[in-house]
Amino acid sequence: MVTRYTDEDVIHGLQEKKRSYINYLYKEFFPVVRSIVERNSGTLQDVEDVFQDTIFVLYRQSLSEKIDLHCSLKTYFYAISRNIWLQRLERKYRLLYKPDFEVNEEKARYGQDDSDILEYELERRRLFQQHFFAMPADCQELLRLFFIKTPLKQIASMMHYKNTNYVKTRKYLCKNMLRKKILNDPKCNPFINYEQL
Amino acid sequence: MNNSEIKNDWIDRYNENALNPYELKRFNEKLNRNPVLRAEVSVDRCLNEILSDQDALDFYQKIGRARQRQKRHIKAPPLLLLAASIILLIVATGLLLRLTKVFSVEKKTHPPVAGMKKMNEGTRFLIQPNSYGRYNGNVTPAGRRYAILNPQVASKFNSLRELEILVGGTTRNPAFILTSPIVRQRLLLGSPVKFNWESSGNAIPVVISILDNQGNCIYQSTAILGNSFLLDTADFMKGLYYWRITVEDELVLVGKMALY
């Protein structure tokens, strides 16, 4: 038995990051994204990535109350995922055919107003986060605690480290490991800046 | 200050604005020369930004879990699971029914020692299932079927060891050659059994006896001087029978027939 939610319910559920609503979105909206991406030369992996990015965009918009639904949520979801995928296609196409691109094509925008959807950032965030989630659990925990500005003493006691110096060392080691993983991942390469800072 | 210190400590401190002026100067010099270091610094900046956004991290973690769950669902859709469950249920029910039947036969006919051949009065073998519920040993396939379906008739198909070893032996009288029936035969109850034989030289008196599976003679023909004899099995009961051919009081051939 599949529970059906109204669009408002889904948006509120998403704001609260409720698992049942995320599952519902997967069940109901995944085929929509699949149809867009697979029709436009995407793979199943692309579908999953675009779907994740779309949910994230929807979540962020729901938090900032930017969603002004004049259509069904499904249509809205469709529009966001389509924008993301077409922007991604365009970016990858540009990367592949850079010399000819500027001559033959003009930078296009697809569908609705997508000025606040930065596909590039979405992909970078997702890829970097994937590496973060692939790290050992203690590293994840340590970095999370560090970035919510937990005092080092408290981190040491929570993580059962002997002193704050060891917390710092571990944090450097974990961060270094994460950086190396990202630098060695070819998928992350387009997001790495080798130019002057 | 070696290179590894720069990588482990200074990059973080550079992005946290925690380098002292001397360290900052040295680090900037290195940054200008080294594109890989620049890349690391830029990645570190992004990471700081991403890791500071704990809310997004939590949300992505939840999405990741939902994704895993959906993948599992895609791998085994509910309908497929349902079909598999039904098939499993049917197979299990079939096995259960079969086992119930086998064990009920075992209970009715052979209470004491299941799985072993049991000798009765030194001569008779009962059809007994072994520990796996199977009927092995000197029991015909039909006998096994009957043992399962009809335990009362089952004992009629037990073979008799003394006669069993004689079945199919070559004739002891070279003047007598049996052409039919074959020495081991399965027949429907009521079917006629035709005995045909050839004898060299003068006609010899042939006696055909029918014995039940306990060795009791239930029928004996008079001395036949011809070359054939027709046995009517209409009055017989279902079970295993042995026929014995004697010529001038000498046992010539033994065969058996199972009547169903």
Side-chain angles (χ1 to χ4, degrees):
Chain A
M1 184 78 182
V2 180
T3 319
R4 299 207 70 85
Y5 300 109
T6 62
D7 291 352
E8 285 74 25
D9 284 344
V10 175
I11 290 165
H12 286 301
L14 211 56
Q15 278 173 345
E16 291 165 17
K17 289 185 273 191
K18 282 189 177 168
R19 202 180 72 178
S20 55
Y21 290 94
I22 297 174
N23 287 340
Y24 175 79
L25 282 175
Y26 253 102
K27 210 168 275 175
E28 294 294 311
F29 294 1
F30 190 82
V32 174
V33 180
R34 192 173 189 164
S35 72
I36 300 165
V37 176
E38 289 191 339
R39 257 207 324 258
N40 291 288
S41 59
T43 62
L44 188 61
Q45 183 60 47
D46 295 325
V47 179
E48 285 178 351
D49 293 344
V50 171
F51 187 80
Q52 276 199 352
D53 293 344
T54 311
I55 292 191
F56 183 70
V57 169
L58 198 66
Y59 168 66
R60 277 290 153 96
Q61 289 186 347
S62 73
L63 285 183
S64 58
E65 299 189 346
K66 273 188 182 175
I67 300 178
D68 187 16
L69 279 183
H70 295 293
C71 54
S72 73
L73 186 63
K74 205 172 225 176
T75 312
Y76 193 76
F77 200 88
Y78 174 92
I80 298 173
S81 53
R82 188 169 176 275
N83 284 335
I84 291 173
W85 178 237
L86 294 180
Q87 282 184 39
R88 191 159 293 164
L89 269 183
E90 185 193 314
R91 176 168 58 83
K92 287 179 179 170
Y93 178 77
R94 214 180 321 138
L95 282 174
L96 278 174
Y97 304 103
K98 203 168 184 178
D100 301 332
F101 183 80
E102 282 164 16
V103 179
N104 299 326
E105 303 280 341
E106 61 178 41
K107 194 171 182 293
R109 286 212 173 267
Y110 299 92
Q112 347 179 295
D113 177 25
D114 52 4
S115 53
D116 54 347
I117 300 172
L118 297 166
E119 176 277 324
Y120 172 90
E121 277 182 18
L122 285 171
E123 183 153 32
R124 187 181 63 185
R125 176 186 286 276
R126 186 170 27 77
L127 287 172
F128 284 17
Q129 280 183 167
Q130 273 171 11
H131 284 288
F132 172 74
F133 290 126
M135 284 213 305
D138 64 325
C139 269
Q140 287 186 39
E141 181 69 17
L142 176 62
L143 290 177
R144 272 175 180 260
L145 288 170
F146 187 86
F147 278 96
I148 53 170
K149 314 253 188 260
T150 313
L152 292 181
K153 264 190 178 178
Q154 203 179 328
I155 296 177
S157 79
M158 284 170 80
M159 305 285 293
H160 307 293
Y161 294 152
K162 52 190 173 189
N163 53 38
T164 51
N165 279 341
Y166 187 67
V167 175
K168 281 184 199 167
T169 313
R170 283 287 299 168
K171 181 244 168 184
Y172 296 140
L173 290 175
C174 290
K175 197 95 176 289
N176 193 39
M177 178 166 69
L178 185 54
R179 279 197 303 263
K180 292 287 178 221
K181 278 184 165 189
I182 291 168
L183 285 166
N184 290 330
D185 182 0
K187 275 196 270 182
C188 295
N189 207 34
F191 306 101
I192 295 169
N193 177 22
Y194 290 88
E195 305 302 316
Q196 288 295 335
L197 293 166
Chain B
M1 192 65 53
N2 61 32
N3 209 30
S4 91
E5 278 175 290
I6 285 175
K7 283 184 182 170
N8 286 329
D9 185 0
W10 284 28
I11 296 171
D12 286 20
R13 286 172 58 204
Y14 177 79
N15 281 330
E16 290 161 12
N17 293 323
L19 290 177
N20 64 40
Y22 169 73
E23 289 169 336
L24 186 62
K25 190 182 166 207
R26 284 201 58 190
F27 193 79
N28 277 328
E29 283 168 9
K30 274 200 174 287
L31 265 183
N32 288 333
R33 288 197 305 269
N34 190 344
V36 178
L37 185 62
R38 282 201 295 274
E40 268 197 78
V41 170
S42 83
V43 167
D44 192 72
R45 244 176 227 179
C46 283
L47 279 175
N48 286 351
E49 189 189 310
I50 288 167
L51 294 175
S52 303
D53 193 349
Q54 296 282 320
D55 182 55
L57 275 180
D58 287 343
F59 190 74
Y60 265 97
Q61 203 164 20
K62 288 200 172 177
I63 297 177
R65 284 185 195 138
R67 187 180 188 168
Q68 293 293 326
R69 251 193 309 279
Q70 291 303 317
K71 270 188 177 176
R72 280 202 295 273
H73 278 289
I74 289 167
K75 275 178 192 164
L79 273 177
L80 202 67
L81 281 177
L82 190 72
S85 311
I86 290 170
I87 291 169
L88 206 68
L89 200 69
I90 291 168
V91 170
T93 314
L95 275 174
L96 201 70
L97 277 174
R98 188 175 164 78
L99 280 176
T100 315
K101 274 184 184 172
V102 166
F103 284 117
S104 66
V105 168
E106 189 184 336
K107 273 184 193 168
K108 280 178 193 167
T109 55
H110 323 292
V113 189
M116 298 292 289
K117 282 188 216 169
K118 183 185 170 191
M119 193 173 284
N120 187 8
E121 296 163 0
T123 56
R124 198 154 60 92
F125 291 86
L126 286 175
I127 300 175
Q128 293 242 348
N130 62 16
S131 54
Y132 302 104
R134 292 198 174 159
Y135 291 81
N136 292 328
N138 51 356
V139 183
T140 58
R144 279 179 214 136
R145 253 196 319 278
Y146 267 98
I148 292 164
L149 299 173
N150 194 346
Q152 279 75 32
V153 183
S155 62
K156 301 278 184 192
F157 286 90
N158 294 339
S159 54
L160 186 62
R161 181 181 254 182
E162 288 85 342
L163 288 174
E164 199 67 32
I165 54 173
L166 296 174
V167 171
T170 49
T171 173
R172 294 176 185 183
N173 189 334
F176 179 88
I177 300 162
L178 185 75
T179 52
S180 75
I182 53 171
V183 287
R184 292 180 182 82
Q185 201 174 18
R186 292 176 64 226
L187 293 163
L188 277 175
L189 187 66
S191 310
V193 184
K194 192 165 187 185
F195 289 84
N196 282 313
W197 61 88
E198 290 168 6
S199 53
S200 56
N202 297 329
I204 46 173
V206 172
V207 176
I208 296 174
S209 313
I210 306 295
L211 295 89
D212 65 12
N213 70 332
Q214 293 182 36
N216 304 318
C217 183
I218 56 165
Y219 173 82
Q220 187 166 21
S221 70
T222 52
I224 307 157
L225 286 171
N227 284 329
S228 66
F229 172 72
L230 192 68
L231 175 72
D232 186 9
T233 61
D235 297 331
F236 286 43
M237 287 173 69
K238 285 180 177 176
L240 182 68
Y241 295 91
Y242 294 91
W243 45 259
R244 187 177 64 189
I245 297 175
T246 50
V247 176
E248 293 167 338
D249 292 332
E250 191 190 345
L251 179 66
V252 172
L253 204 57
V254 174
K256 70 174 180 182
M257 55 187 183
L259 296 179
Y260 299 96

